[in-house]
Amino acid sequence: MQDIYIHGGAMTPFGRHTGVLAPELAQQAILQALDDAGLRPADIQAIYCANVLGGMILGQLIVRDLGFGGIPVYNVENACASGATGVHLARHALLAGQYDTVLVFGIEQLTALGGGTIPMQRNDHKTDLYAKAGMVLPAVYAMRGTRFLHERGASRADLAEVAVKNRHNGSLNPFAQQRTATTVEEVLASRMIADPLTLLQCCPSQVDGAAALVVGTKRPARHRPVKVLASVVVSGLREQADDDILDAEITARAARQAYEQAGLGPEDVDVVELHDAFTIAELLYYEALGLAPHGEAVGLLKSGATRLGGRVPVNPSGGLLAKGHPLGATGVAQMVEILWHLQERAGARQVANARVGLTQCTGGGIAGVDHAASSVHLLGV
């Protein structure tokens, strides 16, 4: 199979960008990624713009004045998995020989929404049970958290430890929105959002950010070559009445396919960026990704294996809990972070001797399925 390389990557700091419009934010990441790759707009043959809430033809609006010369622009929306889906679609086109060098970027400006939780279904209040009932994602994950505490004999402090780990990592990351370390006591004492999840166990909902990657079939000359070893996007299956809400089936299925595609296993992964929108999510994904056996997620966390310096550091960027979660940008930003680790450009949070990295991003809440979409990518040198 044709090798697919990442030629360059960049992201803006995640946070409040007061007075900066979404197109300007995206343009910063795009131009920095091109510079990182040593390429010009004229070298790009197609563009994939990932965004959730920015409106129609956002990609064309963003690149209009950057000199790309009327090449195809594909706008991609797949909830929180939008950015990862953009990379997935770009890889398909590269493998098909349609292009040899493309740009993928993600952008979201959540501060423009005015605050509050992000609705699960903005336009489907008549047909979707969750939307009709006013369900929000903190409540969904709180139910999973409550069940986890009951079935696994875990404590609230175990959930809080995830936030402590990731906030520490975020304190080392100049691109993270939250750059203050915290303690278990501070996490548990923060304002309750949806029992048992407190404020510091939920990713910030007021965040802007953009990230971009240049992907192609030619071997890059500027940096240590990093390949896309596997790229998988799957949709959720219809749930049955007795489905286990702690079984992240959609992510486990995507991970199995990604490992098979790359000819690798969980034991080969050196660094992970996963979708920790809530602390309980990280623990569930340890098991779904095969990093821990069923029922052993807390044990993996407590062993220190997923901390910086551990066997398989998870969310060295700070994850969504500290770095922030601008929806369309997240999947691309995860890959930028892994790219930097594989090229030994991650600074104070660098994972030593990393050769294989994994990114995982789920997206969308629909009544009757685990998630609407889940993506898993494996990158390697």
Side-chain angles (χ1 to χ4, degrees):
M1 183 179 290
Q2 172 73 57
D3 288 333
I4 305 299
Y5 295 96
I6 299 179
H7 289 253
M11 59 182 289
T12 68
F14 283 7
R16 289 179 177 271
H17 291 266
T18 304
V20 179
L21 299 177
E24 297 173 296
L25 202 59
Q27 288 165 2
Q28 292 176 27
I30 290 168
L31 295 175
Q32 289 169 16
L34 287 172
D35 183 66
D36 190 51
L39 297 174
R40 303 164 299 151
D43 298 315
I44 303 300
Q45 297 167 312
I47 295 170
Y48 296 79
C49 168
N51 177 264
V52 180
L53 301 170
M56 292 191 299
I57 59 171
L58 183 62
Q60 286 89 337
L61 177 64
I62 288 168
V63 304
R64 175 187 56 194
D65 302 322
L66 296 183
F68 283 101
I71 61 176
V73 177
Y74 304 99
N75 291 289
V76 181
E77 187 278 303
N78 210 14
C80 305
S82 296
T85 302
V87 174
H88 181 72
L89 294 174
R91 177 177 176 271
H92 272 296
L94 292 167
L95 288 173
Q98 190 168 4
Y99 313 116
D100 58 46
T101 309
V102 301
L103 170 74
V104 183
F105 71 90
I107 170 67
E108 209 72 53
Q109 192 172 42
L110 292 179
T111 59
L113 299 181
T117 58
I118 298 168
M120 298 180 68
Q121 290 292 316
R122 293 174 66 86
N123 303 310
D124 199 17
H125 292 282
K126 292 183 179 179
T127 60
D128 187 82
L129 181 62
Y130 278 0
K132 189 174 182 180
M135 182 70 77
V136 292
L137 284 171
V140 172
Y141 279 91
M143 288 190 289
R144 290 174 176 155
T146 300
R147 190 71 185 176
F148 188 86
L149 297 181
H150 171 71
E151 287 198 4
R152 304 293 174 82
S155 69
R156 291 171 182 256
D158 294 330
L159 297 180
E161 284 283 4
V162 175
V164 172
K165 174 180 71 70
N166 292 354
R167 293 275 292 221
H168 166 74
N169 296 349
S171 73
L172 305 175
N173 184 2
F175 296 91
Q177 181 181 31
Q178 305 293 336
R179 299 197 60 202
T180 305
T182 190
T183 66
V184 168
E185 292 75 21
E186 289 170 338
V187 173
L188 294 177
S190 62
R191 177 166 55 90
M192 184 62 70
I193 300 299
D195 193 10
L197 301 177
T198 59
L199 180 65
L200 294 183
Q201 298 186 63
C202 307
C203 67
S205 62
Q206 289 292 286
V207 58
D208 309 326
L213 290 168
V214 179
V215 187
T217 55
K218 299 176 183 178
R219 185 179 176 88
R222 172 165 282 196
H223 299 295
R224 184 184 194 183
V226 171
K227 298 178 184 179
V228 180
L229 303 177
S231 175
V232 172
V233 174
V234 298
S235 297
L237 299 174
R238 184 70 182 180
E239 293 179 327
Q240 304 303 313
D242 59 350
D243 281 355
D244 183 356
I245 63 172
L246 302 184
D247 177 21
E249 185 280 331
I250 185 174
T251 292
R253 179 159 39 96
R256 287 194 300 271
Q257 292 181 25
Y259 291 136
E260 181 178 359
Q261 192 177 107
L264 299 172
E267 67 280 1
D268 298 307
V269 176
D270 300 309
V271 57
V272 175
E273 282 284 312
L274 59 73
H275 192 100
D276 62 323
F278 305 91
T279 52
I280 179 59
E282 178 161 325
L283 293 172
L284 296 181
Y285 293 144
Y286 285 174
E287 299 179 11
L289 296 173
L291 304 178
H294 179 77
E296 298 297 324
V298 171
L300 182 70
L301 177 69
K302 288 185 173 181
S303 75
T306 60
R307 295 180 179 274
L308 285 174
R311 177 176 59 80
V312 55
V314 173
N315 287 326
S317 70
L320 281 58
L321 288 170
K323 185 179 64 186
H325 183 25
L327 310 178
T330 288
V332 180
Q334 289 178 325
M335 293 187 214
V336 172
E337 178 74 12
I338 295 296
L339 174 72
W340 288 341
H341 284 279
L342 297 180
Q343 294 177 335
E344 299 184 346
R345 296 197 283 158
R349 63 193 188 280
Q350 177 67 50
V351 173
N353 303 314
R355 298 189 60 82
V356 176
L358 180 150
T359 68
Q360 173 267 335
C361 204
T362 55
I366 305 174
V369 299
D370 179 4
H371 279 89
S374 187
S375 66
V376 172
H377 285 77
L378 287 163
L379 310 183
V381 295

